[in-house]
Amino acid sequence: MRLKKMKSRYEFFADLQIDEWSKRIDSRINKNQNQSYWKIINHIRTTVAIANAYTLRYQESYKLVSIWKNSLEPGLGDVLRRGHSFGKFTWPFVCILLRVREFLKSYISYFLRRLDFSTQGKDNRK
């Protein structure tokens, strides 16, 4: 169930066209004076690139990272930039590693929450 939930979340962002979305709000915001606009756009660009990598759309994610390379956020954006610098042939491995990372992050935290640490180290004898 959790894998299906993660996959649907990333598929939504993978289908998002950031250029079309930003064109709708460009006329309403003065981009030159508003730093928060670019911060939000860069966050969405990073999320879309990660979502395409997570859903294993290799060509699309590689193309997006090559276009937005300088505007990706720190963190996973750095991972995408580093993977892009290694070239097109290693890009599928970067995408698979991102997917494994999200899988492990989700399931390890899921199982750790289920463990009961409240009685650990206590002497239950009276």
Side-chain angles (χ1 to χ4, degrees):
M1 178 66 180
R2 294 183 58 79
L3 188 60
K4 186 182 274 188
K5 191 176 189 181
M6 279 188 338
K7 187 175 179 183
S8 65
R9 176 181 60 176
Y10 282 110
E11 283 179 350
F12 168 77
F13 283 107
D15 294 334
L16 182 67
Q17 298 296 324
I18 187 69
D19 296 328
E20 293 174 11
W21 177 81
S22 64
K23 284 179 187 176
R24 290 186 290 172
I25 61 171
D26 279 347
S27 61
R28 300 178 192 152
I29 297 175
N30 186 357
K31 297 179 291 187
N32 297 332
Q33 296 177 354
N34 199 344
Q35 284 290 57
S36 61
Y37 170 81
W38 288 110
K39 188 174 182 179
I40 291 170
I41 291 295
N42 292 341
H43 177 72
I44 293 173
R45 285 178 175 172
T46 305
T47 304
V48 169
I50 290 169
N52 277 289
Y54 179 83
T55 55
L56 303 179
R57 297 175 183 171
Y58 303 127
Q59 292 178 344
E60 182 68 21
S61 62
Y62 188 80
K63 182 179 81 170
L64 291 175
V65 171
S66 62
I67 293 170
W68 299 332
K69 185 175 20 177
N70 296 327
S71 64
L72 296 176
E73 287 186 322
L76 286 179
D78 293 335
V79 172
L80 293 175
R81 273 192 291 276
R82 178 70 57 150
H84 184 268
S85 68
F86 289 131
K88 207 174 221 180
F89 295 112
T90 59
W91 186 252
F93 297 112
V94 173
C95 296
I96 290 169
L97 286 175
L98 280 173
R99 191 174 179 111
V100 168
R101 176 193 176 272
E102 289 296 315
F103 179 78
L104 289 175
K105 186 174 78 172
S106 174
Y107 279 96
I108 288 174
S109 65
Y110 174 77
F111 288 119
L112 286 177
R113 282 187 303 233
R114 300 293 182 274
L115 294 175
D116 184 20
F117 292 112
S118 60
T119 59
Q120 188 176 13
K122 294 182 181 177
D123 189 14
N124 291 333
R125 292 178 279 158
K126 292 189 178 193

